[in-house]
Amino acid sequence: DYINWLRSESVDGSSNPKVMELIGYADYLDPPPNPESMKDQLVGFGKYASMTYKELYEEDPDYINWLRRESVYSTPSPKAKELIGYADSLDPPPHPESMKDQ
């Protein structure tokens, strides 16, 4: 997803003003997830299906990082993508290139 890549490349806001404008427009059209409204959603898949996003984020952040790494190579399921989005809204993801070697 190009806009998410742009976001990851411009975490400190020092990018080209046109890039920041594009990110702002994308956020206007499709606002980033609000972690407060998502924290009580159930993961709904895998070994953590019965946990909430917040519980998983706090108890096993390595699992979320594993999902992030896997999403570099393949398209995550909609629920996995939503969980990754929740985690990304709480802390910026690592640069995609750095995740390939982990």
Side-chain angles (χ1 to χ4, degrees):
D1 180 38
Y2 183 67
I3 297 296
N4 285 334
W5 177 81
L6 284 175
R7 283 186 184 109
S8 72
E9 291 295 311
S10 49
V11 172
D12 62 3
S14 64
S15 289
N16 178 303
K18 290 291 186 187
V19 169
M20 298 307 292
E21 185 178 329
L22 177 61
I23 291 170
Y25 183 66
D27 288 345
Y28 168 76
L29 293 175
D30 186 20
N34 175 351
E36 189 59 31
S37 68
M38 298 175 71
K39 69 180 183 179
D40 295 323
Q41 290 187 43
L42 290 179
V43 172
F45 66 91
K47 64 183 183 178
Y48 296 116
S50 62
M51 291 179 79
T52 65
Y53 287 1
K54 181 180 180 185
E55 290 169 337
L56 177 54
Y57 179 83
E58 292 174 350
E59 293 180 28
D60 194 356
D62 289 339
Y63 181 74
I64 294 172
N65 287 329
W66 175 80
L67 286 174
R68 286 171 167 159
R69 285 191 305 273
E70 290 299 307
S71 72
V72 171
Y73 300 106
S74 61
T75 304
S77 70
K79 285 295 284 182
K81 187 174 182 177
E82 191 174 90
L83 174 59
I84 292 167
Y86 170 77
D88 289 352
S89 69
L90 294 174
D91 58 39
H95 188 280
E97 287 299 314
S98 70
M99 295 175 72
K100 288 184 177 180
D101 298 328
Q102 294 181 0

XYZ file of all heavy atoms in Angstrom:
824
model
N 0.842 -1.177 0.000
C 0.000 0.000 0.000
C 0.888 1.241 0.000
O 1.636 1.484 0.942
C -0.918 -0.105 1.209
C -1.868 1.028 1.369
O -2.390 1.524 0.367
O -2.093 1.384 2.523
N 0.804 1.994 -1.058
C 1.710 3.127 -1.285
C 1.604 4.199 -0.202
O 2.622 4.708 0.270
C 1.440 3.721 -2.669
C 2.362 4.851 -3.034
C 3.713 4.624 -3.235
C 1.886 6.151 -3.147
C 4.578 5.654 -3.564
C 2.731 7.189 -3.477
C 4.070 6.938 -3.680
O 4.918 7.966 -3.995
N 0.396 4.538 0.191
C 0.227 5.589 1.202
C 0.843 5.160 2.530
O 1.516 5.956 3.198
C -1.264 5.958 1.377
C -1.839 6.543 0.083
C -1.456 6.919 2.541
C -1.215 7.856 -0.365
N 0.662 3.896 2.912
C 1.289 3.420 4.155
C 2.799 3.450 4.053
O 3.494 3.744 5.031
C 0.787 2.028 4.520
C -0.613 2.072 5.072
O -1.038 3.076 5.626
N -1.339 0.991 4.907
N 3.321 3.155 2.885
C 4.775 3.237 2.686
C 5.229 4.686 2.856
O 6.232 4.956 3.514
C 5.160 2.693 1.313
C 6.626 2.838 1.044
C 7.617 2.019 1.487
C 7.260 3.875 0.292
N 8.839 2.488 1.059
C 8.642 3.632 0.319
C 6.790 4.984 -0.395
C 9.554 4.449 -0.325
C 7.706 5.805 -1.037
C 9.068 5.532 -0.993
N 4.481 5.608 2.249
C 4.823 7.025 2.415
C 4.795 7.421 3.889
O 5.679 8.139 4.355
C 3.848 7.913 1.634
C 4.023 7.975 0.128
C 2.904 8.798 -0.494
C 5.372 8.544 -0.257
N 3.776 6.955 4.609
C 3.696 7.256 6.047
C 4.935 6.744 6.779
O 5.491 7.437 7.627
C 2.449 6.625 6.659
C 1.180 7.349 6.362
C 0.015 6.731 7.143
N -1.223 7.356 6.788
C -2.191 6.780 6.079
N -2.069 5.547 5.658
N -3.287 7.435 5.802
N 5.338 5.515 6.469
C 6.489 4.932 7.168
C 7.790 5.669 6.833
O 8.695 5.720 7.649
C 6.626 3.448 6.844
O 7.078 3.245 5.517
N 7.851 6.250 5.645
C 9.055 6.977 5.239
C 9.089 8.397 5.797
O 10.124 9.038 5.778
C 9.133 7.038 3.707
C 9.401 5.703 3.057
C 10.757 5.148 3.406
O 11.763 5.878 3.292
O 10.824 3.979 3.816
N 7.958 8.889 6.264
C 7.902 10.282 6.713
C 7.403 10.380 8.151
O 6.635 11.262 8.483
C 7.019 11.095 5.778
O 5.799 10.461 5.552
N 7.868 9.479 8.995
C 7.440 9.434 10.390
C 7.754 10.739 11.111
O 6.955 11.236 11.888
C 8.098 8.243 11.123
C 7.829 8.292 12.613
C 7.611 6.945 10.533
N 8.891 11.339 10.830
C 9.272 12.557 11.554
C 8.708 13.828 10.924
O 8.938 14.923 11.408
C 10.790 12.655 11.670
C 11.485 12.746 10.318
O 10.801 12.788 9.277
O 12.726 12.780 10.303
N 7.945 13.709 9.820
C 7.323 14.866 9.192
C 8.259 15.717 8.369
O 7.899 16.806 7.950
N 9.470 15.226 8.110
C 10.446 16.025 7.367
C 10.395 15.783 5.859
O 11.255 16.241 5.136
C 11.857 15.729 7.888
O 12.193 14.375 7.626
N 9.372 15.087 5.388
C 9.260 14.801 3.962
C 8.850 16.037 3.175
O 8.435 17.048 3.724
C 8.226 13.698 3.722
O 8.719 12.477 4.166
N 8.932 15.892 1.885
C 8.499 16.913 0.949
C 7.082 17.372 1.311
O 6.224 16.545 1.601
C 8.540 16.285 -0.454
C 8.059 17.212 -1.524
O 6.944 17.718 -1.480
N 8.912 17.402 -2.506
N 6.823 18.671 1.289
C 5.484 19.164 1.632
C 4.368 18.558 0.775
O 3.256 18.331 1.255
C 5.582 20.673 1.410
C 7.034 20.988 1.536
C 7.756 19.768 1.055
N 4.640 18.265 -0.478
C 3.628 17.655 -1.354
C 3.302 16.236 -0.886
O 2.156 15.790 -0.951
C 4.084 17.642 -2.816
C 4.120 19.004 -3.449
C 2.710 19.517 -3.615
C 2.700 20.822 -4.372
N 1.397 21.433 -4.430
N 4.324 15.521 -0.410
C 4.106 14.175 0.119
C 3.237 14.253 1.365
O 2.278 13.494 1.524
C 5.446 13.464 0.418
C 5.230 12.185 1.198
C 6.206 13.192 -0.870
N 3.552 15.200 2.241
C 2.766 15.362 3.461
C 1.327 15.770 3.131
O 0.383 15.337 3.786
C 3.422 16.389 4.396
C 4.818 15.971 4.878
S 4.889 14.322 5.615
C 3.948 14.574 7.093
N 1.156 16.576 2.091
C -0.182 16.962 1.655
C -0.959 15.745 1.166
O -2.139 15.579 1.473
C -0.068 18.008 0.542
C -1.371 18.581 0.083
C -1.178 19.644 -0.996
O -0.143 20.339 -0.996
O -2.087 19.775 -1.837
N -0.298 14.877 0.401
C -0.934 13.657 -0.090
C -1.343 12.746 1.073
O -2.448 12.210 1.099
C -0.001 12.908 -1.041
C -0.498 11.586 -1.588
C -1.775 11.784 -2.402
C 0.572 10.925 -2.432
N -0.473 12.597 2.053
C -0.787 11.783 3.234
C -1.977 12.388 3.978
O -2.892 11.676 4.395
C 0.441 11.648 4.156
C 1.519 10.792 3.476
C 0.050 11.047 5.508
C 2.848 10.792 4.196
N -1.979 13.698 4.119
C -3.096 14.369 4.784
C -4.408 14.153 4.049
O -5.454 13.920 4.673
N -4.366 14.199 2.723
C -5.573 13.970 1.932
C -6.048 12.527 2.083
O -7.233 12.265 2.239
C -5.310 14.302 0.462
C -6.528 14.155 -0.411
C -7.632 14.992 -0.247
C -6.586 13.176 -1.392
C -8.755 14.852 -1.041
C -7.709 13.033 -2.193
C -8.794 13.872 -2.011
O -9.904 13.724 -2.787
N -5.109 11.586 2.076
C -5.462 10.175 2.263
C -6.086 9.964 3.639
O -7.057 9.219 3.782
C -4.233 9.291 2.084
N -5.544 10.620 4.657
C -6.108 10.515 6.011
C -7.507 11.115 6.071
O -8.369 10.628 6.795
C -5.206 11.201 7.033
C -3.921 10.433 7.295
O -3.848 9.245 6.917
O -2.998 11.026 7.869
N -7.733 12.169 5.302
C -9.064 12.783 5.244
C -10.068 11.805 4.620
O -11.180 11.644 5.108
C -8.996 14.078 4.439
C -10.344 14.646 4.070
C -11.122 15.310 5.022
C -10.838 14.506 2.785
C -12.361 15.827 4.693
C -12.084 15.027 2.446
C -12.842 15.675 3.391
O -14.063 16.177 3.062
N -9.671 11.144 3.536
C -10.559 10.211 2.853
C -10.766 8.924 3.644
O -11.857 8.355 3.633
C -10.007 9.864 1.468
C -9.991 10.995 0.456
C -9.315 10.533 -0.832
C -11.391 11.508 0.171
N -9.715 8.453 4.280
C -9.763 7.191 5.019
C -8.965 7.378 6.307
O -7.775 7.051 6.355
C -9.173 6.071 4.163
C -9.314 4.709 4.796
O -10.175 4.541 5.684
O -8.566 3.803 4.395
N -9.591 7.916 7.340
C -8.851 8.231 8.564
C -8.143 7.004 9.143
O -8.668 5.893 9.067
C -9.931 8.714 9.539
C -11.120 9.015 8.706
C -11.005 8.177 7.469
N -6.949 7.218 9.701
C -6.259 6.106 10.349
C -7.097 5.585 11.516
O -7.908 6.308 12.072
C -4.947 6.706 10.841
C -4.937 8.127 10.460
C -6.226 8.461 9.789
N -6.901 4.323 11.883
C -7.695 3.759 12.968
C -7.482 4.501 14.284
O -6.392 4.959 14.572
C -7.220 2.312 13.069
C -6.017 2.194 12.231
C -5.929 3.393 11.346
N -8.545 4.584 15.041
C -8.490 5.179 16.367
C -8.285 4.030 17.357
O -9.175 3.205 17.538
C -9.797 5.922 16.653
C -9.868 6.457 18.059
O -9.037 6.161 18.911
N -10.878 7.243 18.322
N -7.107 3.966 17.992
C -6.835 2.824 18.875
C -7.843 2.679 20.009
O -8.164 1.571 20.416
C -5.430 3.089 19.397
C -5.085 4.466 19.030
C -6.012 4.906 17.940
N -8.360 3.792 20.492
C -9.315 3.727 21.604
C -10.587 2.989 21.194
O -11.144 2.217 21.963
C -9.647 5.144 22.091
C -10.440 5.180 23.363
C -9.768 4.507 24.555
O -8.536 4.489 24.650
O -10.508 3.978 25.405
N -11.032 3.199 19.964
C -12.262 2.551 19.510
C -12.046 1.098 19.102
O -13.002 0.346 18.955
C -12.870 3.327 18.347
O -12.056 3.232 17.207
N -10.793 0.689 18.928
C -10.491 -0.668 18.464
C -9.983 -1.596 19.557
O -9.938 -2.806 19.362
C -9.443 -0.610 17.343
C -9.892 0.144 16.121
S -8.568 0.301 14.916
C -8.439 -1.378 14.338
N -9.606 -1.065 20.699
C -8.885 -1.846 21.711
C -9.643 -3.069 22.231
O -9.039 -4.050 22.615
C -8.472 -0.964 22.877
C -9.635 -0.471 23.718
C -9.173 0.397 24.843
C -10.376 0.801 25.693
N -9.978 1.611 26.805
N -10.970 -3.012 22.217
C -11.764 -4.115 22.758
C -12.240 -5.113 21.705
O -12.959 -6.057 22.040
C -12.957 -3.562 23.542
C -12.515 -2.780 24.773
O -11.514 -3.189 25.409
O -13.152 -1.762 25.085
N -11.834 -4.925 20.461
C -12.211 -5.874 19.417
C -11.446 -7.179 19.614
O -10.277 -7.174 19.994
C -11.891 -5.305 18.036
C -12.793 -4.166 17.651
C -12.566 -3.740 16.220
O -12.430 -4.565 15.333
N -12.528 -2.440 16.003
N -12.097 -8.279 19.339
C -11.439 -9.582 19.425
C -10.562 -9.806 18.204
O -10.936 -9.442 17.088
C -12.467 -10.706 19.526
C -13.247 -10.785 20.829
C -14.242 -11.943 20.776
C -12.324 -10.944 22.026
N -9.422 -10.424 18.438
C -8.510 -10.748 17.345
C -9.242 -11.631 16.334
O -9.201 -11.379 15.134
C -7.223 -11.411 17.881
C -6.355 -11.917 16.752
C -6.465 -10.431 18.772
N -9.881 -12.693 16.797
C -10.748 -13.491 15.932
C -10.069 -14.486 15.013
O -10.732 -15.101 14.188
N -8.763 -14.671 15.137
C -8.073 -15.664 14.313
C -6.838 -16.163 15.055
O -6.354 -15.517 15.990
C -7.672 -15.079 12.943
C -6.635 -13.987 13.026
C -5.284 -14.284 12.954
C -7.009 -12.660 13.178
C -4.332 -13.281 13.032
C -6.074 -11.654 13.260
C -4.728 -11.963 13.189
N -6.351 -17.315 14.624
C -5.112 -17.856 15.173
C -5.185 -18.196 16.652
O -6.257 -18.298 17.244
N -4.016 -18.370 17.241
C -3.953 -18.815 18.632
C -4.431 -17.761 19.630
O -4.680 -18.068 20.779
C -2.538 -19.275 18.983
C -1.474 -18.190 18.932
C -0.106 -18.784 19.236
C 0.973 -17.729 19.264
N 2.270 -18.315 19.593
N -4.578 -16.516 19.177
C -5.044 -15.440 20.047
C -6.462 -14.994 19.700
O -6.872 -13.884 20.029
C -4.096 -14.241 19.949
C -2.710 -14.538 20.456
C -1.619 -14.509 19.609
C -2.492 -14.848 21.796
C -0.339 -14.769 20.079
C -1.216 -15.110 22.276
C -0.149 -15.069 21.408
O 1.108 -15.329 21.876
N -7.234 -15.856 19.094
C -8.577 -15.505 18.610
C -9.469 -14.910 19.690
O -10.266 -14.015 19.409
C -9.246 -16.730 17.993
N -9.348 -15.370 20.919
C -10.256 -14.917 21.981
C -9.730 -13.700 22.747
O -10.391 -13.215 23.663
C -10.538 -16.046 22.957
O -9.342 -16.447 23.590
N -8.553 -13.186 22.376
C -7.998 -12.010 23.049
C -8.457 -10.738 22.334
O -8.771 -10.757 21.158
C -6.469 -12.056 23.045
C -5.892 -13.142 23.915
S -4.086 -13.171 23.867
C -3.715 -11.838 24.982
N -8.431 -9.622 23.069
C -8.710 -8.331 22.436
C -7.410 -7.799 21.821
O -6.310 -8.258 22.166
C -9.232 -7.303 23.452
O -8.199 -7.022 24.403
C -10.491 -7.799 24.141
N -7.568 -6.824 20.933
C -6.390 -6.199 20.330
C -5.460 -5.656 21.410
O -4.243 -5.849 21.345
C -6.795 -5.054 19.410
C -7.424 -5.448 18.102
C -7.639 -6.768 17.746
C -7.805 -4.478 17.198
C -8.216 -7.107 16.542
C -8.379 -4.809 15.979
C -8.577 -6.118 15.661
O -9.134 -6.441 14.460
N -6.039 -4.988 22.406
C -5.225 -4.391 23.467
C -4.482 -5.465 24.255
O -3.292 -5.313 24.540
C -6.102 -3.556 24.408
C -5.319 -2.885 25.506
C -6.200 -2.074 26.420
C -5.339 -1.438 27.506
N -6.119 -0.735 28.487
N -5.165 -6.544 24.608
C -4.519 -7.617 25.367
C -3.345 -8.201 24.583
O -2.257 -8.400 25.128
C -5.518 -8.723 25.683
C -6.567 -8.342 26.692
C -7.699 -9.352 26.802
O -7.949 -10.118 25.846
O -8.352 -9.365 27.857
N -3.567 -8.475 23.312
C -2.498 -9.053 22.494
C -1.343 -8.074 22.343
O -0.175 -8.455 22.475
C -3.032 -9.463 21.120
C -2.002 -10.029 20.140
C -1.232 -11.195 20.747
C -2.680 -10.445 18.857
N -1.651 -6.812 22.097
C -0.615 -5.789 21.947
C 0.258 -5.708 23.195
O 1.471 -5.583 23.098
C -1.271 -4.434 21.656
C -0.301 -3.300 21.504
C 0.344 -3.079 20.290
C -0.013 -2.455 22.572
C 1.241 -2.036 20.149
C 0.887 -1.420 22.436
C 1.507 -1.208 21.219
O 2.405 -0.176 21.084
N -0.366 -5.813 24.355
C 0.373 -5.709 25.610
C 1.078 -7.005 25.995
O 2.156 -6.973 26.575
C -0.567 -5.274 26.735
C -1.059 -3.847 26.576
C -2.106 -3.439 27.594
O -2.621 -4.318 28.330
O -2.413 -2.241 27.654
N 0.491 -8.155 25.682
C 1.025 -9.438 26.146
C 2.000 -10.106 25.177
O 2.861 -10.862 25.613
C -0.119 -10.388 26.489
C -0.906 -9.908 27.694
C -2.046 -10.833 28.071
O -1.948 -12.053 27.802
O -3.033 -10.340 28.635
N 1.833 -9.886 23.879
C 2.726 -10.544 22.921
C 2.988 -9.662 21.703
O 2.557 -9.964 20.593
C 2.153 -11.898 22.484
C 3.183 -12.768 21.770
O 4.319 -12.290 21.538
O 2.857 -13.919 21.457
N 3.695 -8.547 21.899
C 3.987 -7.666 20.768
C 4.827 -8.356 19.682
O 4.776 -7.961 18.517
C 4.726 -6.493 21.396
C 5.234 -6.998 22.698
C 4.282 -8.066 23.144
N 5.568 -9.407 20.057
C 6.352 -10.129 19.055
C 5.456 -10.778 18.004
O 5.836 -10.889 16.843
C 7.227 -11.202 19.713
C 8.368 -10.593 20.504
O 8.731 -9.423 20.241
O 8.880 -11.280 21.397
N 4.268 -11.210 18.409
C 3.327 -11.798 17.456
C 2.886 -10.753 16.436
O 2.831 -11.024 15.236
C 2.121 -12.382 18.190
C 1.116 -13.031 17.272
C 1.370 -14.259 16.684
C -0.095 -12.402 16.975
C 0.454 -14.862 15.836
C -1.022 -12.988 16.132
C -0.737 -14.225 15.564
O -1.654 -14.803 14.722
N 2.604 -9.547 16.915
C 2.215 -8.472 15.999
C 3.367 -8.130 15.072
O 3.167 -7.917 13.874
C 1.719 -7.246 16.785
C 0.422 -7.607 17.523
C 1.494 -6.059 15.849
C -0.074 -6.567 18.483
N 4.582 -8.094 15.584
C 5.740 -7.831 14.717
C 5.918 -8.948 13.696
O 6.311 -8.694 12.560
C 6.999 -7.620 15.553
C 6.978 -6.282 16.244
O 6.407 -5.312 15.746
N 7.588 -6.210 17.413
N 5.616 -10.178 14.092
C 5.670 -11.291 13.141
C 4.646 -11.066 12.025
O 4.957 -11.259 10.850
C 5.413 -12.613 13.859
C 5.331 -13.779 12.931
C 6.385 -14.453 12.375
C 4.142 -14.385 12.425
N 5.909 -15.451 11.551
C 4.538 -15.425 11.565
C 2.784 -14.153 12.616
C 3.620 -16.234 10.898
C 1.874 -14.953 11.957
C 2.290 -15.976 11.105
N 3.424 -10.660 12.400
C 2.413 -10.351 11.381
C 2.890 -9.239 10.449
O 2.690 -9.306 9.238
C 1.091 -9.925 12.032
C 0.252 -11.012 12.669
C -0.940 -10.391 13.397
C -0.226 -12.021 11.645
N 3.518 -8.220 11.030
C 4.060 -7.127 10.197
C 5.085 -7.668 9.202
O 5.065 -7.307 8.034
C 4.708 -6.060 11.083
C 3.735 -5.182 11.830
C 4.483 -4.318 12.822
N 3.657 -3.236 13.353
C 3.902 -2.606 14.473
N 4.964 -2.944 15.227
N 3.113 -1.630 14.893
N 5.990 -8.505 9.685
C 7.020 -9.058 8.789
C 6.394 -9.905 7.692
O 6.779 -9.825 6.535
C 8.028 -9.900 9.583
C 8.998 -9.088 10.392
C 10.128 -9.948 10.945
N 9.668 -11.087 11.730
C 9.406 -11.050 13.033
N 9.534 -9.932 13.711
N 9.012 -12.142 13.660
N 5.422 -10.735 8.070
C 4.758 -11.585 7.088
C 4.024 -10.763 6.037
O 3.935 -11.164 4.879
C 3.782 -12.546 7.779
C 4.457 -13.622 8.598
C 5.345 -14.527 7.758
O 4.859 -15.066 6.757
O 6.529 -14.676 8.110
N 3.499 -9.604 6.426
C 2.755 -8.778 5.479
C 3.663 -8.139 4.434
O 3.176 -7.630 3.431
C 1.934 -7.713 6.209
O 2.765 -6.708 6.743
N 4.981 -8.168 4.658
C 5.922 -7.686 3.646
C 5.927 -8.649 2.457
O 6.061 -8.237 1.310
C 7.351 -7.553 4.232
C 8.370 -7.271 3.157
C 7.372 -6.469 5.302
N 5.722 -9.940 2.724
C 5.812 -10.970 1.691
C 4.467 -11.406 1.117
O 4.406 -11.934 0.026
C 6.529 -12.210 2.252
C 7.922 -11.899 2.721
C 8.222 -11.829 4.080
C 8.936 -11.644 1.818
C 9.504 -11.529 4.517
C 10.218 -11.335 2.239
C 10.490 -11.286 3.588
O 11.744 -10.977 4.019
N 3.386 -11.246 1.903
C 2.077 -11.668 1.416
C 0.997 -10.758 1.997
O 1.205 -10.099 3.007
C 1.804 -13.118 1.816
O 1.800 -13.248 3.215
N -0.130 -10.744 1.355
C -1.235 -9.899 1.794
C -1.900 -10.520 3.017
O -2.359 -11.662 2.949
C -2.268 -9.751 0.658
O -1.608 -9.236 -0.492
C -3.387 -8.823 1.069
N -1.957 -9.769 4.111
C -2.597 -10.321 5.318
C -4.111 -10.390 5.156
O -4.701 -9.669 4.342
C -2.205 -9.328 6.416
C -1.923 -8.051 5.706
C -1.429 -8.426 4.335
N -4.735 -11.238 5.951
C -6.195 -11.316 5.956
C -6.748 -9.967 6.427
O -6.031 -9.188 7.066
C -6.659 -12.424 6.903
O -6.420 -12.038 8.245
N -8.017 -9.694 6.151
C -8.584 -8.424 6.618
C -8.461 -8.227 8.132
O -8.154 -7.126 8.592
C -10.049 -8.509 6.181
C -10.025 -9.406 4.980
C -8.956 -10.421 5.284
N -8.692 -9.273 8.929
C -8.574 -9.147 10.387
C -7.119 -8.900 10.805
O -6.859 -8.100 11.703
C -9.117 -10.393 11.090
C -10.621 -10.497 11.106
C -11.292 -9.402 11.915
C -11.189 -9.633 13.396
N -11.855 -8.616 14.205
N -6.175 -9.590 10.163
C -4.764 -9.378 10.489
C -4.350 -7.956 10.111
O -3.630 -7.281 10.858
C -3.889 -10.404 9.776
N -4.823 -7.490 8.968
C -4.509 -6.129 8.528
C -5.067 -5.107 9.513
O -4.412 -4.123 9.840
C -5.079 -5.898 7.129
C -4.669 -4.595 6.518
C -5.139 -4.498 5.074
C -4.673 -3.201 4.468
N -5.036 -3.079 3.074
N -6.262 -5.362 10.023
C -6.871 -4.464 11.008
C -6.069 -4.458 12.309
O -5.845 -3.399 12.907
C -8.304 -4.919 11.268
C -9.120 -3.940 12.066
C -10.561 -4.393 12.167
O -10.875 -5.122 13.130
O -11.359 -4.021 11.293
N -5.628 -5.627 12.748
C -4.813 -5.719 13.962
C -3.485 -4.982 13.769
O -3.042 -4.249 14.657
C -4.558 -7.186 14.323
C -3.602 -7.450 15.485
C -4.092 -6.810 16.778
C -3.419 -8.948 15.669
N -2.856 -5.163 12.620
C -1.610 -4.455 12.325
C -1.863 -2.948 12.337
O -1.065 -2.177 12.873
C -1.020 -4.914 10.971
C -0.551 -6.364 11.065
C 0.127 -4.006 10.538
C -0.242 -7.008 9.721
N -2.986 -2.523 11.762
C -3.339 -1.105 11.766
C -3.511 -0.561 13.174
O -3.091 0.561 13.483
N -4.120 -1.362 14.048
C -4.273 -0.968 15.449
C -2.889 -0.757 16.081
O -2.631 0.279 16.695
C -5.051 -2.035 16.220
C -5.038 -1.831 17.712
C -5.851 -0.872 18.300
C -4.224 -2.588 18.535
C -5.841 -0.672 19.680
C -4.207 -2.395 19.903
C -5.012 -1.438 20.470
O -4.996 -1.238 21.838
N -2.008 -1.724 15.902
C -0.667 -1.621 16.479
C 0.092 -0.444 15.870
O 0.785 0.290 16.585
C 0.098 -2.924 16.272
N -0.044 -0.248 14.560
C 0.642 0.863 13.896
C 0.164 2.212 14.422
O 0.940 3.170 14.467
C 0.427 0.810 12.387
C 1.171 -0.327 11.710
O 1.993 -1.004 12.377
O 0.923 -0.552 10.512
N -1.106 2.285 14.819
C -1.622 3.555 15.335
C -1.075 3.854 16.734
O -1.058 5.003 17.155
C -3.145 3.558 15.341
O -3.651 2.665 16.296
N -0.617 2.824 17.432
C -0.039 3.014 18.770
C 1.456 3.287 18.706
O 1.994 4.029 19.515
C -0.302 1.789 19.651
C -1.767 1.542 19.982
C -1.916 0.222 20.728
C -2.346 2.686 20.784
N 2.113 2.643 17.771
C 3.542 2.898 17.558
C 3.850 2.689 16.087
O 3.361 1.753 15.488
C 4.430 2.021 18.445
C 4.207 0.536 18.251
O 4.005 0.090 17.107
O 4.256 -0.192 19.240
N 4.657 3.566 15.505
C 4.965 3.420 14.088
C 5.669 2.096 13.820
O 6.499 1.655 14.616
C 5.894 4.588 13.787
C 5.786 5.510 14.944
C 5.308 4.698 16.108
N 5.320 1.461 12.708
C 5.987 0.202 12.372
C 7.435 0.447 11.987
O 7.786 1.546 11.563
C 5.184 -0.319 11.174
C 4.625 0.916 10.540
C 4.366 1.874 11.688
N 8.267 -0.580 12.132
C 9.646 -0.460 11.655
C 9.646 -0.257 10.144
O 8.688 -0.582 9.461
C 10.278 -1.816 12.011
C 9.336 -2.460 12.955
C 7.990 -1.864 12.725
N 10.715 0.298 9.622
C 10.856 0.481 8.182
C 10.719 -0.877 7.501
O 11.322 -1.861 7.943
C 12.227 1.102 7.874
C 12.381 1.490 6.457
N 12.692 0.587 5.484
C 12.232 2.683 5.838
C 12.754 1.196 4.323
N 12.478 2.471 4.510
N 9.921 -0.985 6.425
C 9.688 -2.286 5.775
C 10.963 -3.017 5.370
O 11.032 -4.228 5.486
C 8.860 -1.915 4.532
C 8.192 -0.632 4.894
C 9.142 0.077 5.815
N 11.961 -2.307 4.910
C 13.211 -2.966 4.505
C 13.911 -3.629 5.693
O 14.499 -4.690 5.554
C 14.165 -1.963 3.840
C 13.721 -1.553 2.458
C 13.650 -2.712 1.486
O 14.594 -3.534 1.440
O 12.641 -2.808 0.766
N 13.808 -3.033 6.868
C 14.467 -3.612 8.038
C 13.752 -4.867 8.510
O 14.314 -5.686 9.221
C 14.552 -2.593 9.175
O 13.258 -2.343 9.699
N 12.506 -5.042 8.123
C 11.725 -6.205 8.571
C 12.010 -7.443 7.743
O 11.776 -8.553 8.180
C 10.230 -5.879 8.517
C 9.862 -4.784 9.492
S 8.157 -4.303 9.353
C 7.395 -5.749 10.063
N 12.509 -7.274 6.538
C 12.733 -8.423 5.657
C 13.793 -9.375 6.189
O 13.729 -10.558 5.951
C 13.132 -7.947 4.257
C 11.974 -7.342 3.505
C 12.382 -6.981 2.109
C 11.204 -6.434 1.343
N 11.559 -6.071 -0.010
N 14.768 -8.866 6.912
C 15.890 -9.697 7.368
C 15.662 -10.295 8.752
O 16.503 -11.005 9.246
C 17.176 -8.876 7.382
C 17.533 -8.385 5.996
O 17.231 -9.100 5.022
O 18.109 -7.288 5.885
N 14.545 -10.018 9.377
C 14.324 -10.514 10.742
C 13.702 -11.877 10.738
O 13.020 -12.306 9.918
C 13.444 -9.538 11.514
C 14.137 -8.224 11.722
C 13.268 -7.247 12.514
O 12.157 -7.547 12.909
N 13.802 -6.078 12.752
